[in-house]
Amino acid sequence: METPAGTMTETAAGTLSRTAPATTAETAEDGLARAFDAAVAADERIEPRDWMPEAYRATLVRQMAQHAHSEIIGMQPEANWITRAPSLRRKAILIAKVQDEAGHGLYLYSAAETLGTGRDELLDKLHTGRQKYSSIFNYPTLTWADVGAIGWLVDGAAITNQVPLCRCSYGPYARAMVRICKEESFHQRQGYELLLALSGGTPAQHAMAQDAVDRWWWPSLMMFGPPDDASAHSAQSMAWKIKRHSNDELRQRFVDICVPQAEALGLTLPDPDLRWNEERGRHDFGAIDWTEFQQVLKGNGPCNEQRITQRRRAHEEGAWVREAAAAYAAKREEVTAS
Amino acid sequence: MTDVRTTAAALALGDDALVLSHRLGEWAGHAPALEEEVALANIALDLLGQARILLSLVGDEDELAYLRDERSFRNLQLVEQPNGDFARTIARQLYFSTYQLALYRELASGQSEFTGLAAKAVKEVAYHQDHAEHWTLRLGDGTAESHRRMAAACGGLWRFTGEMFQPVEGLDIDWPALEAGWLASVTDVLDRATLGVPDGPRTGAWTAGAGRQGLHTEPFGPMIAEMQHLHRSHPGASW
């Protein structure tokens, strides 16, 4: 990752170089667009100083901000169990995981800042509902087993989505994803191991694990987004090589990965239509409830209001702390300058 | 197996770390900035690591954490105090990390069951103290509002600082010297933060050493009820 200071310089320089040739704007811009298309076609990385179409920039800001917001809101359902974790080992693992998520949020905001936006601006958009976060975090964690189901299924789905992003055309995003995916894989294995312990534990623990998988399975499949024929941004994102695979393709991959893992866990997946299709060499699975998905996206999921209220409250209640830090820094600068 | 004196000392130090770690864990998702989410979780994790080593010197870490009642915990009353606002949390961190740093430095330089642990932990604790010191300066010498809150926090927790220097059985420490060093260090930070040392006694009527004897404040019971409920709901289960 670049340092925040380096990021700011690069953004400033990039803006200058893009606006400099004002007199021959038309022809210069055409040439830049051709160079951009050629770079994307050759699988080269686009870097912050490079010219890029405004729509490419806007799409990336939207996607990276939403990704960062998801890390931050995603801390809540798991933090809900930190104070109740049933062993000190599990508690340590969970604190480390939530800490990693805050770190992932920081990487992603930094990466988004290379596109000329600021973290404060992005957070403001989150707090006012103008930017979204992943719909999955609007579901509640009702038992300890939910912590395992989130690790196995939610992090598993996130990894399936994110590994191709390590080859995304925008360099800072791709590099952030390399780091994030390493840590996410670790979390996913820990979640799986948590469920394995429950599944092989007492009957009450086994039932707790099954109940959690029953509740998290379908919301996890929704994490891949709407079906291909209803996905607004897909075609353009694939042309720009921000996205590498379609929603439905990634969802299918995830199902194929999860089925044998569920068997190894001794747990069932809550889909009567789930079966191996010999001809396709893949699993067929039942229909997703897209009405529920749309409702959650619109803010009517079980926890939408709670999640955003807690986030806003943390931000508002922390305002005096951030103001104090800024005032103190300004005083120190004065002392150093005089 | 460990002797009675080592057990008493390991429980006192282990419970301090366990309980403060739990309190810091309550901040997850509520911190004033993302950097503080990372920092507070990091400190909670360091303390939990220390607690696990110390409690394991005494017996099974989970049995000790989850199956003892309030009257059997040996932590300082200071560390069980509710988080309050960020200033209250920082004041608690300043008082405790300054104590823990001095104590672990002394243990690390001696020869006891705690030498190894202290030598490792002292690096973590130095970071905790640095974090608390810098935030004390920022809040004390920041805005009028932050100054007011930090002064109230330091004053409110002052009466819990005396118990840190009640001798702990099994720790061969020059307690009056430890206390003098702590007071000098905290006074220096509070002065630089434009706060000054709070007025009032450093111990209440029955505060001195009370936590070490299993006499706790009211917020502690609900805290361990939350901490222990799941573990206690499934007797004998492994996790």
Side-chain angles (χ1 to χ4, degrees), chain A:
Chain A
M1 284 300 293
E2 290 147 306
T3 62
T7 297
M8 283 174 64
T9 319
E10 287 202 346
T11 306
T15 308
L16 280 179
S17 66
R18 276 195 304 113
T19 52
T23 45
T24 52
E26 275 308 306
T27 46
E29 182 131 334
D30 288 347
L32 290 166
R34 266 199 307 280
F36 172 85
D37 290 340
V40 169
D43 269 337
E44 282 169 25
R45 288 277 159 80
I46 307 300
E47 295 298 336
R49 286 166 204 269
D50 297 337
W51 184 91
M52 62 189 83
E54 277 313 308
Y56 176 84
R57 184 183 299 273
T59 297
L60 277 169
V61 168
R62 181 178 53 77
Q63 185 174 334
M64 289 158 78
Q66 181 171 327
H67 196 158
H69 299 333
S70 301
E71 297 281 358
I72 301 313
I73 297 285
M75 294 167 70
Q76 291 184 31
E78 295 179 292
N80 182 35
W81 281 93
I82 286 178
T83 54
R84 294 177 288 167
S87 75
L88 297 186
R89 174 173 166 262
R90 294 290 180 196
K91 187 171 181 167
I93 290 172
L94 187 56
I95 295 174
K97 181 179 178 189
V98 173
Q99 182 189 3
D100 280 349
E101 281 159 4
H104 295 172
L106 282 168
Y107 300 159
L108 287 162
Y109 286 124
S110 296
E113 283 179 337
T114 64
L115 292 164
T117 180
R119 196 212 298 186
D120 290 345
E121 188 188 332
L122 297 177
L123 278 174
D124 188 57
K125 285 184 176 162
L126 169 67
H127 296 153
T128 52
R130 284 175 292 155
Q131 280 179 345
K132 295 193 183 305
Y133 55 89
S134 176
S135 61
I136 193 78
F137 300 120
N138 293 312
Y139 290 86
T141 46
L142 302 178
T143 72
W144 170 249
D146 290 32
V147 171
I150 288 181
W152 176 42
L153 295 174
V154 175
D155 293 345
I159 293 163
T160 309
N161 258 330
Q162 291 170 9
V163 164
L165 284 173
C166 297
R167 294 186 294 125
C168 152
S169 60
Y170 188 57
Y173 194 21
R175 288 189 288 274
M177 291 323 303
V178 171
R179 261 180 92 155
I180 289 173
C181 283
K182 277 184 198 157
E183 292 175 349
E184 292 287 4
S185 307
F186 190 55
H187 298 160
Q188 201 249 355
R189 267 178 281 162
Q190 287 171 329
Y192 183 87
E193 193 255 335
L194 190 164
L195 282 181
L196 195 62
L198 293 181
S199 178
T202 66
Q205 286 177 307
H206 182 91
M208 195 192 279
Q210 183 62 60
D211 169 62
V213 169
D214 289 348
R215 283 181 290 109
W216 287 92
W217 173 247
W218 291 107
S220 300
L221 293 191
M222 294 177 196
M223 285 175 71
F224 296 93
D228 292 346
D229 51 21
S231 179
H233 305 291
S234 277
Q236 183 60 74
S237 287
M238 285 178 79
W240 278 329
K241 295 192 182 170
I242 295 173
K243 248 179 115 140
R244 296 279 178 163
H245 312 279
S246 79
N247 293 353
D248 286 333
E249 164 56 22
L250 290 170
R251 190 169 9 245
Q252 177 73 59
R253 252 185 225 190
F254 179 66
V255 171
D256 291 337
I257 291 168
C258 284
V259 170
Q261 290 180 345
E263 262 168 45
L265 279 172
L267 298 171
T268 59
L269 296 170
D271 180 357
D273 298 326
L274 183 66
R275 62 180 58 84
W276 177 251
N277 181 324
E278 193 65 54
E279 265 172 51
R280 292 202 305 129
R282 313 199 86 169
H283 291 87
D284 292 336
F285 55 98
I288 289 172
D289 182 351
W290 292 113
T291 316
E292 176 181 319
F293 178 70
Q294 290 302 335
Q295 283 295 319
V296 176
L297 278 191
K298 278 183 197 151
N300 301 320
C303 298
N304 296 60
E305 197 198 347
Q306 176 192 328
R307 299 284 185 245
I308 207 69
T309 301
Q310 180 180 325
R311 179 86 271 289
R312 268 192 218 131
R313 189 186 300 138
H315 189 74
E316 281 160 17
E317 288 179 357
W320 69 272
V321 177
R322 298 190 300 274
E323 283 157 17
Y328 180 79
K331 283 183 200 177
R332 290 299 99 191
E333 254 174 51
E334 253 173 56
V335 171
T336 318
S338 63

Side-chain angles (χ1 to χ4, degrees), chain B residues 49-128:
Chain B
Q50 294 165 16
R52 294 181 65 190
I53 295 170
L54 286 158
L55 293 181
S56 297
L57 287 174
V58 179
D60 179 86
E61 60 177 32
D62 286 336
E63 235 176 88
L64 288 162
Y66 291 100
L67 299 176
R68 272 182 300 157
D69 289 323
E70 187 172 336
R71 292 282 281 110
S72 302
F73 276 85
R74 292 289 177 264
N75 57 283
L76 298 164
Q77 290 185 350
L78 174 68
V79 295
E80 76 202 25
Q81 294 312 303
N83 288 334
D85 66 3
F86 189 68
R88 187 100 172 168
T89 291
I90 291 299
R92 192 183 60 199
Q93 285 301 114
L94 178 72
Y95 293 162
F96 182 74
S97 64
T98 305
Y99 158 80
Q100 212 190 9
L101 182 59
L103 181 64
Y104 279 17
R105 272 192 181 143
E106 196 154 332
L107 290 174
S109 68
Q111 284 295 327
S112 71
E113 293 82 350
F114 303 107
T115 308
L117 163 92
K120 176 181 172 284
V122 82
K123 293 172 203 146
E124 299 168 349
V125 176
Y127 161 76
H128 306 169

Side-chain angles (χ1 to χ4, degrees), chain B residues 24-51:
Chain B
L24 292 173
E26 293 173 353
W27 269 105
H30 300 273
L34 280 178
E35 287 81 355
E36 287 312 299
E37 295 284 3
V38 176
L40 295 174
N42 201 318
I43 297 169
L45 208 50
D46 287 344
L47 289 167
L48 186 52
Q50 294 165 16

